[in-house]
Amino acid sequence: MKALQLSLWAIIISLMATGPTFAAEPQANSRQAIGQVTPTGDVTLNEMPLPGVTTLFPGSRIRTGARSAAAVNVAGRGQFILGENSEATFPSTRGGYFTQLLSGSAAVKVEAGQALEALAGRFLITVRPAAPSSIEFSFQPDGSI
């Protein structure tokens, strides 16, 4: 009887020890990197100063100050450049878009045959070129894009 109890305890302890390992695996995949962000000047990532090149993860928010910019490089797809006094979230907080421009200006450069989507105000900007292309967009004082 004691041997059976010890065996049950060994199984329970074993399950408890391996349980968190299995639970942690899906989280690693959901935190897959978006790309690399390179700051120039006064740039914050999730309200923290961004001193150098950093990996960007889903749920990130970038804000740039005066005379500052941030370039998000996505390997094999293109680049999103956030202009001065601007703010964006990655991915968009509304839908499955690559980014949402919350204020300011940005440029999108896309590799041939790839796509990057940006939500700005009520407008969804999709760049899906046959040849490498770029587009710039910004919020205007009257609220238009």
Side-chain angles (χ1 to χ4, degrees):
M1 184 70 166
K2 274 202 179 240
L4 179 61
Q5 285 179 333
L6 289 175
S7 294
L8 288 175
W9 278 112
I11 291 171
I12 290 171
I13 291 171
S14 174
L15 287 174
M16 289 173 59
T18 58
T21 303
F22 292 121
E25 286 180 22
Q27 291 174 351
N29 291 337
S30 68
R31 295 287 298 164
Q32 194 167 23
I34 294 171
Q36 296 288 315
V37 60
T38 304
T40 302
D42 179 26
V43 178
T44 62
L45 174 62
N46 300 324
E47 305 298 325
M48 300 296 293
L50 188 57
V53 178
T54 303
T55 301
L56 188 67
F57 290 97
S60 297
R61 179 181 292 248
I62 297 176
R63 182 178 293 143
T64 60
R67 296 181 302 280
S68 301
V72 177
N73 294 301
V74 183
R77 287 182 64 193
Q79 183 179 55
F80 177 82
I81 303 167
L82 190 60
E84 71 174 330
N85 296 317
S86 300
E87 185 174 8
T89 59
F90 300 86
S92 165
T93 56
R94 292 176 46 200
Y97 316 118
F98 174 70
T99 187
Q100 180 177 359
L101 180 64
L102 301 172
S103 64
S105 62
V108 177
K109 296 180 180 182
V110 182
E111 300 291 328
Q114 296 297 315
L116 285 177
E117 298 164 329
L119 187 63
R122 297 182 316 246
F123 301 99
L124 175 61
I125 300 161
T126 302
V127 183
R128 191 174 291 136
S133 302
S134 65
I135 185 172
E136 294 181 27
F137 49 97
S138 64
F139 281 95
Q140 301 301 309
D142 66 0
S144 64
I145 302 294

